[in-house]
């Protein structure tokens, strides 16, 4: 099908009858991906979405939900596996009855039960401890859950869509992820390209889309950006992918609306600061990192993002001290991400 006539740049993309909200795409690699999403959305098969941080994995998951005629009227339950404390796994996933433990003052339906009739989206599945993976596998096989404090199993009917920024197949081969769970989840496999793979045309389209959204949100008239600015934006690298480009676009949009013009004298320093803050991961010491270092960096970064870059909460979730977390952030050069993602004093200073 000819997708070029079906792409709508108003904050969402439409492929056939499948709404992919929040995704702007012009590149062939994204068109190919959206064709796959449209093809398999109506399937009941479990799906695994792989992609770097900030590429929009949850948007693809939601598109699979919206495009499923059986599931789209049901709930879309999104769970970040890396944000659930180990001791609360069973209560959060399976639910509990009143009085099942201290503090259980009422009955509670877990995520698996909440997703009945719809889609269960498990983000960062690779962060789920291996001793909890077998419990999830059992549910996928039996399609029943039993709340804590109850002996009555409840039937659950949902489609599972999972996402990860890690190589689960490699983890399964290394023994850090259950192979049987991997093959149960990865019936359908979608790989999201990073922003560099998508190319300049997608960078430009995303940038313009964000400018329009910011203008609309603030009741400002939209003024198309000059070509020089689009060229500059398309040549920059974005380690945080779409998420990072959106942050930069919002910063530029705010500056533009404050001055009322596309002032190169004010905007060029913003672009230069972005270049200075961007780390070239092909250079030392990153090029000397072992596979263990890379996996640990991904784990720490995932937890930082899951907890809004609040270091104290993230350290507790990782089971380490705040000082050790800061040392890991310095070792793996995550302070640049902290600067780029700083929205307020709480996120930066915790």
């Amino acid at each position: 099908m000819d997708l070029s006539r079906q792409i709508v740049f108003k904050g969402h993309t439409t492929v056939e009858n499948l709404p992919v909200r929040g995704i702007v795409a012009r590149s062939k690699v994204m068109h190919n991906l959206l064709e796959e999403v449209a093809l398999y959305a109506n399937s009941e098969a479990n799906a695994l979405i792989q992609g770097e941080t900030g590429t929009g994995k949850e948007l693809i998951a939601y598109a699979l939900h919206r495009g499923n005629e059986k599931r789209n009227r049901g709930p879309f339950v999104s769970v970040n596996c890396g944000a659930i404390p180990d001791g609360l796994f069973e209560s959060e996933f399976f639910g509990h009855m009143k009085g099942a433990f201290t503090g259980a003052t009422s009955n509670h339906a877990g995520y698996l039960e909440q997703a009945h009739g719809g889609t269960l989206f498990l983000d960062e599945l690779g962060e789920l401890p291996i001793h909890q993976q077998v419990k999830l596998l059992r549910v996928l096989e039996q399609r029943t859950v039993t709340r804590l404090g109850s002996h009555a199993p409840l039937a659950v009917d949902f489609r599972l869509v999972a996402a990860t920024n890690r190589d689960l197949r490699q983890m399964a081969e290394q023994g850090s992820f259950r192979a049987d769970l991997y093959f149960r989840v990865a019936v359908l496999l979608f790989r999201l390209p990073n922003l560099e793979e998508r190319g300049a045309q997608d960078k430009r389209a995303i940038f313009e889309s964000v400018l329009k959204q910011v203008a609309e949100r603030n009741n400002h008239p939209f003024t198309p950006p000059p070509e020089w600015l689009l060229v500059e934006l398309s040549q920059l690298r974005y380690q945080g992918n779409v998420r990072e480009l959106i942050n930069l676009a919002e910063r530029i949009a705010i500056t533009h609306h404050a001055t009322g013009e596309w002032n190169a004298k004010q905007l060029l320093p913003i672009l230069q600061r972005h270049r200075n803050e961007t780390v070239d991961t092909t250079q030392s010491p990153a090029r000397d990192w072992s596979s263990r270092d890379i996996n640990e960096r991904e784990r720490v970064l995932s937890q930082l993002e899951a907890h809004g870059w609040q270091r104290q909460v993230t350290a507790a979730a990782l089971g380490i001290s705040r000082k050790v977390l800061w040392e890991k952030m310095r070792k793996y050069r995550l302070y640049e991400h902290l600067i780029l993602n700083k929205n307020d004093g709480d996120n930066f200073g915790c």
Side-chain angles (χ1 to χ4, degrees):
M1 57 185 170
D2 182 7
L3 290 176
S4 63
R5 294 196 300 269
Q6 301 177 52
I7 303 300
V8 181
F9 298 106
K10 292 183 179 179
H12 68 276
T13 300
T14 300
V15 182
E16 294 284 351
N17 296 319
L18 174 66
V20 187
R21 298 184 185 279
I23 293 181
V24 176
R26 285 180 179 167
S27 62
K28 180 175 177 56
V29 66
M30 282 299 293
H31 287 182
N32 291 340
L33 172 65
L34 296 179
E35 282 185 325
E36 285 190 80
V37 172
L39 180 63
Y40 295 115
N42 216 30
S43 168
E44 285 295 290
N46 296 333
L48 178 64
I49 304 168
Q50 294 180 312
E52 296 177 10
T53 298
T55 50
K57 295 185 289 293
E58 185 163 1
L59 294 175
I60 295 298
Y62 189 63
L64 290 169
H65 171 73
R66 287 290 301 272
N68 190 294
E69 295 176 0
K70 178 182 177 181
R71 304 288 178 185
N72 58 17
R73 294 178 183 173
F76 177 79
V77 178
S78 178
V79 183
N80 188 323
C81 295
I84 299 175
D86 195 37
L88 296 180
F89 173 84
E90 292 190 348
S91 175
E92 293 296 314
F93 272 80
F94 299 104
H96 60 256
M97 303 299 292
K98 180 179 180 180
F101 51 84
T102 302
T105 57
S106 61
N107 295 339
H108 170 69
Y111 295 129
L112 298 165
E113 191 178 341
Q114 293 173 31
H116 182 76
T119 301
L120 176 65
F121 174 57
L122 298 183
D123 196 11
E124 302 304 343
L125 182 63
E127 300 301 322
L128 194 65
I130 197 164
H131 62 277
Q132 304 291 15
Q133 294 172 20
V134 66
K135 300 174 185 178
L136 175 61
L137 179 64
R138 189 177 301 118
V139 172
L140 296 179
E141 292 173 341
Q142 300 176 354
R143 292 291 170 168
T144 61
V145 297
T146 302
R147 292 182 181 181
L148 292 178
S150 172
H151 298 289
L154 301 171
V156 288
D157 174 29
F158 57 82
R159 183 187 189 185
L160 177 66
V161 178
T164 181
N165 62 1
R166 306 176 71 176
D167 188 338
L168 296 190
R169 189 181 187 107
Q170 182 182 64
M171 291 175 63
E173 293 172 352
Q174 296 171 345
S176 57
F177 193 87
R178 291 186 64 98
D180 46 5
L181 179 58
Y182 171 77
F183 288 112
R184 174 72 68 170
V185 172
V187 179
L188 300 175
L189 191 60
F190 300 92
R191 181 188 174 276
L192 264 69
N194 60 39
L195 199 51
E196 292 308 309
E197 293 175 282
R198 293 175 63 173
Q201 55 187 340
D202 273 13
K203 292 179 183 179
R204 292 168 66 117
I206 293 167
F207 177 67
E208 290 185 276
S209 177
V210 174
L211 295 183
K212 292 177 182 178
Q213 291 176 30
V214 173
E216 182 178 349
R217 189 165 63 235
N218 293 282
N219 295 317
H220 292 144
F222 171 72
T223 305
E227 180 64 19
W228 70 263
L229 181 56
L230 293 174
V231 171
E232 289 284 337
L233 264 294
S234 66
Q235 292 177 346
L236 293 176
R237 297 182 64 87
Y238 303 90
Q239 288 179 298
N241 291 295
V242 176
R243 188 179 303 160
E244 186 176 337
L245 173 55
I246 290 174
N247 288 346
L248 180 60
E250 290 209 9
R251 196 180 313 166
I252 290 174
I254 292 170
T255 303
H256 165 64
H257 290 309
T259 61
E261 58 182 340
W262 296 109
N263 190 322
K265 184 177 180 180
Q266 292 179 315
L267 295 179
L268 285 175
I270 295 176
L271 300 178
Q272 185 59 47
R273 185 160 61 249
H274 176 88
R275 290 190 187 93
N276 294 340
E277 291 173 347
T278 299
V279 178
D280 185 355
T281 55
T282 64
Q283 300 300 317
S284 179
R287 66 182 179 186
D288 297 324
W289 287 346
S290 66
S291 59
R292 183 176 180 179
D293 286 332
I294 294 172
N295 288 337
E296 184 175 46
R297 183 184 189 278
E298 290 179 351
R299 184 171 70 93
V300 173
L301 176 58
S302 175
Q303 289 295 316
L304 283 164
E305 293 185 330
H307 297 287
W309 289 82
Q310 298 182 54
R311 295 202 296 273
Q312 185 170 344
V313 180
T314 301
L318 289 168
I320 59 179
S321 69
R322 181 175 166 180
K323 179 180 178 181
V324 172
L325 173 61
W326 181 242
E327 290 173 352
K328 290 183 181 295
M329 291 173 67
R330 291 179 61 186
K331 176 182 178 181
Y332 298 125
R333 302 195 300 193
L334 293 173
Y335 49 86
E336 288 88 358
H337 291 269
L338 183 63
I339 294 171
L340 289 173
N341 283 273
K342 180 170 74 74
N343 294 319
D344 51 51
D346 291 337
N347 283 348
F348 182 69
C350 289

